[in-house]
Amino acid sequence: MKQNSMGQGFTGVVGKVPAPGLVLAGVCGIQFGAAFSPRIYPQVGAPGVVFLRLLIAGVLLCLIWRPRRQALSSVKGAWGTVLSAGALLAAHHLAFYEAVKHIPLGAVATIEFLGPFAIALAGSRRTVDLLPACLAIGGVVLLGGGGVPLDPGGLALAGVAACCWAGYILVSSRMARRLSGGQGLAVAVLFAAMVSAPYGIAQAGSALLDPQVLWVAALVAVAASVLPYSLNLEALRRIPPRVFGVLTSLEPAAGAVFGLLILGQRLAWPQWLGIAVVALASVAATFLGAGERPKSRTVTRGGPSDSHPGEHPEGVVVSDRGVTTS
């Protein structure tokens, strides 16, 4: 799938950054946006924030990657994967931002991490792989055990966000393997904006056009959507979803830090200890996952692949672990 000069430039720059660094930058961007967004909650509410964030991000990503319908249609199953990613993204955003209205950002990020944690645990093939996952869940327990009563509705919404984020990681990983560049991501985010539009417009109305609202939404869109999702997509091309899931265990820590710096939400010392444990789990996952991914080649069931680089229609991956469908 051919990329334009802007997309090639972006790919060239991020290609020099280690995958864990890309994930870390994405985590920080997402949590910064979550902490900054409440500035416009009184005007447009969480649905309005989500709609504007996704709309602006989708437009910017389309300008960067310039997706083509023919390019997506040339890869079997690409449209289903892209639209599924967009639907999960919209549901995640709506649940996450509604949850932040009811319980602290650090708690929401902690519960949301249970989604990637489930991926990390389910994808473990060696006993040693369970070490960072267990460390991470221990840190999550410490981080969430502050003794402050949490609204049940907020907890439920955070749980929905966790499920949607886990689903998005899996679908986005498939999208990253089958589609080169960010064309699929651009369409997915724009579709997510369309999915959230009815709810966002109904809740916010004409307040969506307020200049103060628009500049905050634009900042959040770039910092918490355009950059993180582009970086995450590139990272998912280099590391398996299991390792990616554990690396995102830094989200509770990032949420707690940005919650403190921007929203003034303070934590007790056991919660800061939890942050340290979660960070340690992320480092452990990085070192244990290094070199684990086997060299593989893709072949099609009908013969040699005629797809473009980065596209693997209905192939099988042949590695030292055996043959699996891609």
Side-chain angles (χ1 to χ4, degrees):
M1 196 177 287
K2 188 177 180 180
Q3 300 179 25
N4 58 48
S5 58
M6 189 179 299
Q8 289 176 336
F10 177 85
T11 302
V13 172
V14 300
K16 301 176 182 178
V17 181
L22 296 178
V23 178
L24 176 60
V27 164
C28 290
I30 290 172
Q31 295 305 318
F32 167 80
F36 201 74
S37 296
R39 290 173 179 264
I40 53 176
Y41 274 9
Q43 293 100 309
V44 297
V49 172
V50 169
F51 168 61
L52 281 178
R53 168 183 167 174
L54 291 173
L55 178 63
I56 295 172
V59 170
L60 291 176
L61 286 168
C62 285
L63 290 175
I64 293 172
W65 295 108
R66 299 181 184 179
R68 298 287 186 270
R69 180 176 60 84
Q70 297 87 343
L72 290 174
S73 299
S74 66
V75 181
K76 185 176 181 181
W79 278 107
T81 301
V82 168
L83 297 183
S84 295
L88 287 166
L89 204 56
H92 165 267
H93 279 39
L94 289 170
F96 186 95
Y97 280 86
E98 286 287 358
V100 172
K101 289 171 53 179
H102 302 285
I103 58 179
L105 175 59
V108 176
T110 299
I111 297 168
E112 182 203 33
F113 165 68
L114 294 178
F117 169 75
I119 294 176
L121 194 60
S124 298
R125 293 184 177 88
R126 305 171 301 173
T127 303
V128 70
D129 291 334
L130 298 178
L131 175 61
C134 291
L135 280 174
I137 197 62
V140 166
V141 171
L142 286 170
L143 188 59
V148 178
L150 300 178
D151 179 73
L155 290 173
L157 287 167
V160 172
C163 294
C164 292
W165 191 235
Y168 174 77
I169 289 174
L170 294 174
V171 174
S172 184
S173 176
R174 180 177 176 83
M175 183 169 65
R177 293 195 309 269
R178 299 178 71 85
L179 300 171
S180 62
Q183 296 194 50
L185 175 65
V187 175
V189 175
L190 198 59
F191 180 69
M194 294 171 58
V195 171
S196 64
Y199 190 29
I201 294 174
Q203 291 289 315
S206 60
L208 293 170
L209 302 177
D210 185 290
Q212 171 74 12
V213 170
L214 288 174
W215 86 259
V216 172
L219 176 62
V220 172
V222 173
S225 291
V226 176
L227 291 177
Y229 297 151
S230 298
L231 298 177
N232 287 347
L233 192 69
E234 180 61 28
L236 282 166
R237 290 194 172 100
R238 307 188 211 168
I239 56 178
R242 180 189 61 77
V243 176
F244 180 90
V246 179
L247 285 172
T248 56
S249 64
L250 288 170
E251 284 206 12
V257 170
F258 284 114
L260 172 65
L261 297 177
I262 298 177
L263 301 176
Q265 297 172 342
R266 299 188 177 276
L267 298 174
W269 72 264
Q271 294 171 309
W272 288 111
L273 177 60
I275 290 175
V277 173
V278 170
L280 178 62
S282 181
V283 172
T286 301
F287 282 100
L288 289 175
E292 177 190 345
R293 195 170 184 172
K295 292 182 179 180
S296 61
R297 55 188 175 85
T298 303
V299 296
T300 59
R301 291 186 179 89
S305 172
D306 59 357
S307 61
H308 297 287
E311 301 169 7
H312 312 299
E314 295 304 309
V316 292
V317 176
V318 184
S319 70
D320 58 6
R321 286 201 182 114
V323 180
T324 57
T325 59
S326 64

